[in-house]
Amino acid sequence: VTALFMNRMGRDRNSISADLLCGGDPGRVCSIGCGLSDRHRGGQSVYKVTFENGASVGYKPKDLSIDRAFNALIDWMAADGAPASAGTVKVSPRGGYGWVEWVAHAPCTDEEEARRFFHRSGAMLCLIRMLQGNDFHFENVVARGQVPVPIDLETITHPRIKEVEPELESESAFFKTMYQLGDSVASVGYLPNYIPVPGGGAAKVGGLDDYDELDAAQHVDAPANAGEGFNPNLPSLNGRPLSVMHYEADLLAGYREMFAYIDRNGARIAAAGGPLDMFENCLIRPVLRATRLYAMIQHRSLARRAVVDGAAWSAEFDMLARISAAADGQDPMLTLCHYERKAMAVFDIPFYQASTSSRDLICGDGEVITDFFEAPCLDTVRTRFKNVPKDALPRDEVLIERSLRKGDQP
């Protein structure tokens, strides 16, 4: 893995300079940070490269065509007069991997910039919701002054697994509720939210959460700068992070303005020749199970009772199969358990990909599960932009307001 990174670094140096560093010579490499993300596909992960002149770039061992498509959409909408929303990150896709601008946190200069950050955050939240994106938690967004910058776009659009018909009438309400939440602003992951942690506690995880050192320590992959006195996902002013709870009106105003813009212009955006064409055949990463679940199983496999007993060690990795089999054989994830077990046994986090234009799922070992999803996610997004559901805005407003109330609880 390290040799592959070094070879690519040497081969792509001129392209990195041209695409990400304005063509100048950044000097020699001064430092390399490794292991800055989950391990996937044989231990591959994100690297940070810093040069003599202080500039830094990131190496990502995955296809970055979706990043380029999102940048093109943001540029198109800006030229079209859309409300200001997400910032973009310079990318240099190289086919199966690529290089990105390293985005650093920057403070706001005054209160007006702080308000603009949350207004843009509301607009970005709406746009990602309409694109059917998810997983925009606190590790995946950086506040660069007044601009929220999503730094990991692999889930900017996400296909839906085929619905399972509940066998019991008592289960139908639960499945219906979960489906509706999956088709709402709550699914984006950017609003304040909690996840359960071992011991009966809870940790903040939302992209707008003001997590603290204790919260960060509860996560499998806390940011490298967690605990340094600021939250990279939130704006700061005069040396202190700002809470979304004090800017609810700005957040909602940005959401409503972007919703109105898409309602008026969605058909043009989704039409042939429009900016969504750039999303055709891009690879995205479906998140099918929570990373913390995989990590918990791997952690349990290192307990003494598992390490000294091969049968106990093996049984830990069968947990997901047992969970899926308990659903009367209807759980679509049951077909993936063999791959998940194989990946976790070498301490990789299982990694999946899908084309925006296909129903198929691609496992990290290359196996393809055909017709795994309801529909190609780009088809679903085009339909949503052309026919914006009129009842979506009031429902989403309620969810936003309730998320902020929840996030304000101690």
Side-chain angles (χ1 to χ4, degrees), residues 194-214:
Y194 289 92
I195 58 170
V197 295
K204 297 175 182 178
V205 68
L208 283 171
D209 265 320
D210 53 340
Y211 67 90
D212 56 28
E213 189 170 2
L214 178 62

Side-chain angles (χ1 to χ4, degrees), residues 253-370:
Y255 194 91
R256 290 169 183 141
E257 288 181 25
M258 180 61 80
F259 190 95
Y261 170 81
I262 294 175
D263 190 27
R264 293 192 308 269
N265 301 285
R268 288 195 300 118
I269 295 172
L276 288 188
D277 282 2
M278 285 289 292
F279 287 76
E280 288 280 1
N281 298 309
C282 288
L283 287 177
I284 50 93
R285 179 191 172 197
V287 177
L288 303 179
R289 297 194 205 263
T291 297
R292 65 183 182 275
L293 176 59
Y294 293 130
M296 180 198 72
I297 293 172
Q298 291 174 338
H299 179 74
R300 285 168 57 97
S301 76
L302 294 176
R304 185 180 183 281
R305 62 178 179 78
V307 172
V308 300
D309 183 340
W313 184 85
S314 181
E316 292 294 346
F317 295 107
D318 288 333
M319 180 184 295
L320 295 179
R322 295 195 298 271
I323 293 172
S324 297
D328 298 320
Q330 291 193 79
D331 188 350
M333 295 296 293
L334 191 59
T335 60
L336 309 179
C337 290
H338 175 71
Y339 162 66
E340 289 180 315
R341 190 187 192 288
K342 183 168 61 174
M344 287 191 296
V346 294
F347 290 88
D348 276 352
I349 298 297
F351 184 84
Y352 301 100
Q353 288 184 303
S355 167
T356 54
S357 305
S358 171
R359 290 185 173 89
D360 299 343
L361 176 70
I362 307 166
C363 299
D365 61 358
E367 181 183 3
V368 177
I369 311 296
T370 59

Side-chain angles (χ1 to χ4, degrees), residues 169-198:
E169 187 175 345
S170 58
E171 295 177 335
S172 63
F174 172 79
F175 278 96
K176 182 178 180 181
T177 300
M178 294 305 295
Y179 191 88
Q180 289 178 341
L181 284 174
D183 187 24
S184 75
V185 68
S187 66
V188 174
Y190 191 52
L191 291 170
N193 194 18
Y194 289 92
I195 58 170
V197 295

Side-chain angles (χ1 to χ4, degrees), residues 25-42:
D25 180 6
R28 295 177 299 176
V29 172
C30 289
S31 67
I32 298 175
C34 60
L36 302 180
S37 68
D38 298 326
R39 286 167 42 98
H40 299 295
R41 296 182 293 184

